[in-house]
Amino acid sequence: MDDDEVEHVEHFRYKQDLQRKLTVTSVVGLGFTLMGVPFGLSSTLWISLVDGGSVTILYGWLVVGFFSLCVVLSLSEIIAKFPTAGGVYHFSAILSHEKYSLISSWFTGWFLLIGNWTYAVSILFSGSQFILSIFGLKDVYYKQDMLFVLGVYFIMLTLVGFINYKFSRHLERINKLCIFWSIGTVIVIGILLLIFAKKTNSASHILTHFDNSRSGWPDPLAFMVGMQSSCFTLTGYGMLFSMTDEVKRPEKNMPKGAVSAVSMAVLQGLFFIVPVLIILPSLTVLLDSNPEIMPIDLVFKTATQSYVVSFLLIVLLIGTVMFQAIGALTTASRSTYVFARDGGLPFKEIWTQVDSVEEYTLPKNALFLSMAVIAVFSFLALISPSAFNAFMGASVVSLALANGIPILCLMLNKRKKIKGSAFRLKYFGWIINALSVAWVFLSFFILCLPPVIKDISWRNMNYASVVLVILAIIALIGYKTWGANVFTGPLLDTDYLELHNMEAQARKHDDSMSQKPGALDPETAHEDTDGLGEQVQNTVQIKTGLEETSEKHAAASSSMPDKLTPEDVDEILASGNLEDNDQFEGSDEEYDRISDRNNNSSSTRSSTVSLDKVNRIIFDATSENK
């Protein structure tokens, strides 16, 4: 059997400080939370309207959705092999050439961390603007006051921070509730818009109308730039992997949850977009009347001609943005915790401290640090709106690069290091990986362009690329002066890796023995005897190496069966002798009973073959030689 056909999940030498309580449903819910499709599309709708209108909104969403699925499929294949909360920056280290492993991981980690922090800032800030724009429903001359926006911003930050701190043990319920709220929001908005709409657009108008008169870009480029709206929305899935340490059976549940979340988000976006396009007012009403009011508010107000209905729809979207802010702060705090654990931040002892709050363990100091950084970033809006917008644009670019680097590294090593992944793309792997990398480069180009170049000035220029270069230079200086000496990158459990390699070697040896003829030809007997002697010698060497490697695991493996079944649970619980890496084929409830007794296990669960199985393979091969 080829090694690629054997499922093998790598282990990491980290103490399991956080509790594994989240299921695949929670991963899907968190993905919904981070992408926040209804609000994400609503808050950035003006970009697509300026750069093409209906055609850009509809087809741009489909294009971005397709490529986002390619990226999440590529990352899911990697996380199934390397289930680690370090996510993409751990992937970069493992999949890179050994010479560039550490620096690749360092840059990816900083792109991920900056992206997490600034993504949370952008959600909270746009949410604050959206809440205050309610006043524009009554007052057509409404003007935003930045102090009021920041006031709402800090109220939201305090609220979502409090929820993350005091109610972390309810994350499972919160994430599930988000699924129902988000889907319900789309359904209610679609139904009410169609019921109350006084005017509708034809199918031909929806599918073919392209108005690029306001952007100044050539039509093809305008369509590409208009996809920024969809890019901003379908961004958060790469942040999901920071929660791996808290997910049950992450090698299975993380890929399922991430792919399901993106797939459902793409479908949800379609169900949101189509009703909006059916009742979409003219661009003159949406873009030229009052730029201080978000276009989606005017869509609701103009289409329904009802202040009450419009207010209800906006409240539903406010609920979506609150869920999104909670999830963004959750993943930001976990990214901070994990990156500090590997030496990526100074004073790592502080940021990696884990405390029990309301009977749930969480990285409290990492949460507070994330909140502090998010608070400081907001003051840029007072100092320089252009600089603030540049940082917000850089957040999406940073996350896109963080997602793309490990996939590129995977292709450069010819996909060899993910053999045995629990989630396999098989024959489509190369194609999906290539499409993912191409999309990351294209989206980088798209996100660095200003939505409008007509009458462009230094005030409305897109400085995201400039900010990204500055951040990269700072990261490089940090690595040269400090990070190279303290940053460790991912800590793979080499003992388990060596054990797996020995098992694969023994299996190949066993296969070669099974193909030996029953009787030797006298003319070739001497050659075969020599070959048999070499094979026996190799078997002895494998056995010797295995015994040396297994000393650390002898106590656990000698008392454990090959696979745990529900019938073994009571006996195991009584003995208290369970490794977090043993196979388990029971229900989630039975797994919980065991994992609660083993929270101090040092590595991620996996479906790695047991030591006894390797011993049996080698014993059988040796017996056959004899």
Side-chain angles (χ1 to χ4, degrees):
M1 181 182 292
D2 189 87
D3 186 52
D4 192 30
E5 299 176 11
V6 180
E7 185 177 304
H8 173 70
V9 182
E10 296 295 354
H11 295 65
F12 293 83
R13 292 188 289 110
Y14 295 111
K15 182 180 179 182
Q16 184 64 44
D17 288 322
L18 303 178
Q19 296 171 318
R20 293 192 184 277
K21 295 292 185 182
L22 304 182
T23 63
V24 65
T25 306
S26 185
V27 176
V28 175
L30 184 58
F32 256 67
T33 298
L34 292 171
M35 287 178 278
V37 172
F39 178 75
L41 286 173
S42 299
S43 60
T44 57
L45 182 64
W46 70 273
I47 300 175
S48 297
L49 291 174
V50 168
D51 290 285
S54 298
V55 166
T56 302
I57 295 172
L58 179 60
Y59 298 114
W61 177 258
L62 293 175
V63 171
V64 176
F66 170 76
F67 284 109
S68 297
L69 276 172
C70 290
V71 175
V72 78
L73 283 169
S74 297
L75 294 177
S76 294
E77 187 178 34
I78 303 173
I79 192 73
K81 174 71 174 180
F82 305 101
T84 164
V88 289
Y89 86 86
H90 275 185
F91 302 160
S92 294
I94 297 168
L95 300 174
S96 297
H97 187 281
E98 185 176 353
K99 181 180 179 181
Y100 307 105
S101 175
L102 203 60
I103 192 169
S104 172
S105 181
W106 173 269
F107 274 100
T108 308
W110 272 106
F111 285 143
L112 176 66
L113 189 59
I114 293 296
N116 269 270
W117 285 339
T118 52
Y119 187 71
V121 174
S122 64
I123 291 169
L124 288 166
F125 194 81
S126 56
S128 304
Q129 291 178 311
F130 183 69
I131 291 172
L132 290 175
S133 70
I134 291 177
F135 296 107
L137 294 176
K138 281 288 188 181
D139 182 6
V140 294
Y141 301 105
Y142 166 76
K143 295 289 183 181
Q144 282 188 354
D145 187 313
M146 191 55 65
L147 290 178
F148 283 136
V149 173
L150 287 179
V152 176
Y153 178 96
F154 280 102
I155 292 173
M156 291 179 64
L157 176 59
T158 303
L159 179 59
V160 299
F162 177 77
I163 292 173
N164 267 277
Y165 179 70
K166 293 293 288 184
F167 298 99
S168 285
R169 64 191 179 99
H170 297 297
L171 279 179
E172 176 81 10
R173 295 187 181 92
I174 292 172
N175 292 334
K176 289 180 180 178
L177 178 60
C178 174
I179 297 177
F180 294 108
W181 183 280
S182 186
I183 294 176
T185 295
V186 171
I187 293 174
V188 172
I189 288 177
I191 292 175
L192 291 181
L193 285 180
L194 295 177
I195 289 176
F196 285 91
K198 302 297 188 289
K199 177 185 176 183
T200 58
N201 298 312
S202 66
S204 175
H205 183 275
I206 294 171
L207 297 175
T208 62
H209 182 68
F210 187 84
D211 185 350
N212 182 34
S213 59
R214 292 168 175 79
S215 74
W217 289 107
D219 287 352
L221 272 178
F223 176 80
M224 294 174 62
V225 174
M227 289 194 296
Q228 286 183 4
S229 173
S230 300
C231 290
F232 283 132
T233 303
L234 293 175
T235 295
Y237 54 84
M239 301 157 60
L240 269 176
F241 303 122
S242 299
M243 301 297 295
T244 301
D245 279 357
E246 297 170 67
V247 176
K248 303 173 185 177
R249 307 177 185 180
E251 70 279 2
K252 300 287 187 182
N253 288 338
M254 286 305 300
K256 289 180 183 177
V259 174
S260 298
V262 175
S263 302
M264 293 171 64
V266 173
L267 290 175
Q268 184 190 29
L270 275 179
F271 282 107
F272 179 78
I273 287 171
V274 171
V276 170
L277 293 182
I278 290 175
I279 56 87
L280 190 70
S282 68
L283 297 186
T284 302
V285 172
L286 298 178
L287 299 175
D288 301 337
S289 56
N290 187 350
E292 298 287 333
I293 303 176
M294 286 191 176
I296 194 66
D297 293 337
L298 296 175
V299 168
F300 293 159
K301 179 181 177 181
T302 306
T304 64
Q305 297 293 310
S306 169
Y307 174 78
V308 175
V309 175
S310 300
F311 182 80
L312 172 62
L313 300 182
I314 290 175
V315 168
L316 290 174
L317 289 178
I318 291 174
T320 301
V321 76
M322 290 304 300
F323 280 115
Q324 194 174 7
I326 293 170
L329 184 57
T330 301
T331 55
S333 65
R334 300 316 190 263
S335 295
T336 303
Y337 162 76
V338 174
F339 198 53
R341 185 175 63 181
D342 289 328
L345 294 175
F347 312 111
K348 61 177 289 186
E349 295 80 9
I350 298 176
W351 315 128
T352 55
Q353 180 179 335
V354 174
D355 299 284
S356 180
V357 179
E358 300 292 333
E359 300 180 354
Y360 192 88
T361 55
L362 78 155
K364 180 178 67 176
N365 293 337
L367 173 64
F368 293 155
L369 174 62
S370 298
M371 292 179 65
V373 172
I374 292 168
V376 170
F377 267 124
S378 68
F379 290 111
L380 274 176
L382 283 178
I383 300 171
S384 171
S386 297
F388 179 79
N389 292 332
F391 269 95
M392 297 310 99
S395 70
V396 183
V397 179
S398 297
L399 291 173
L401 286 177
N403 291 337
I405 292 174
I407 303 174
L408 177 61
C409 294
L410 175 64
M411 295 184 68
L412 291 177
N413 70 51
K414 300 180 180 179
R415 292 176 47 84
K416 292 179 180 178
K417 293 185 178 181
I418 57 164
K419 289 185 177 182
S421 172
F423 179 88
R424 309 176 194 183
L425 299 179
K426 297 184 179 179
Y427 307 109
F428 301 101
W430 277 104
I431 298 174
I432 293 175
N433 292 161
L435 290 173
S436 301
V437 172
W439 171 246
V440 168
F441 282 108
L442 179 60
S443 62
F444 175 82
F445 170 73
I446 291 172
L447 292 167
C448 290
L449 296 176
V452 180
I453 59 171
K454 184 180 290 187
D455 301 324
I456 194 170
S457 67
W458 66 272
R459 291 182 179 274
N460 54 14
M461 183 63 186
N462 188 341
Y463 294 101
S465 57
V466 177
V467 171
L468 195 68
V469 170
I470 293 174
L471 292 175
I473 292 174
I474 294 174
L476 179 61
I477 295 173
Y479 179 79
K480 292 293 186 182
T481 58
W482 176 71
N485 299 320
V486 298
F487 184 63
T488 61
L491 302 178
L492 274 170
D493 192 334
T494 54
D495 289 338
Y496 277 99
L497 178 61
E498 184 179 354
L499 179 62
H500 170 68
N501 291 337
M502 287 182 176
E503 190 244 0
Q505 187 178 357
R507 187 186 304 106
K508 291 179 180 179
H509 184 270
D510 186 46
D511 290 342
S512 67
M513 288 293 96
S514 65
Q515 297 172 5
K516 294 291 291 180
L520 295 176
D521 188 333
E523 296 181 1
T524 59
H526 179 70
E527 296 178 5
D528 285 346
T529 303
D530 290 342
L532 184 61
E534 291 179 4
Q535 291 168 343
V536 172
Q537 184 178 1
N538 290 338
T539 301
V540 173
Q541 291 175 351
I542 295 171
K543 180 67 175 177
T544 303
L546 178 64
E547 290 172 350
E548 293 175 355
T549 305
S550 63
E551 288 180 358
K552 297 180 181 179
H553 310 283
S557 61
S558 62
S559 61
M560 294 299 298
D562 291 334
K563 291 186 177 182
L564 299 176
T565 60
E567 289 75 16
D568 300 318
V569 172
D570 292 332
E571 180 180 350
I572 294 167
L573 288 173
S575 66
N577 189 21
L578 176 67
E579 288 289 335
D580 196 33
N581 303 284
D582 288 309
Q583 290 184 335
F584 180 69
E585 295 186 343
S587 64
D588 283 346
E589 290 75 14
E590 291 162 338
Y591 174 68
D592 287 341
R593 293 171 58 195
I594 295 176
S595 61
D596 287 342
R597 295 283 299 272
N598 293 274
N599 281 333
N600 292 327
S601 177
S602 61
S603 58
T604 306
R605 288 189 75 254
S606 94
S607 50
T608 309
V609 292
S610 69
L611 182 62
D612 289 341
K613 181 178 179 182
V614 182
N615 274 309
R616 284 201 308 275
I617 293 172
I618 297 177
F619 176 78
D620 293 341
T622 307
S623 300
E624 186 173 341
N625 286 336
K626 292 179 180 179

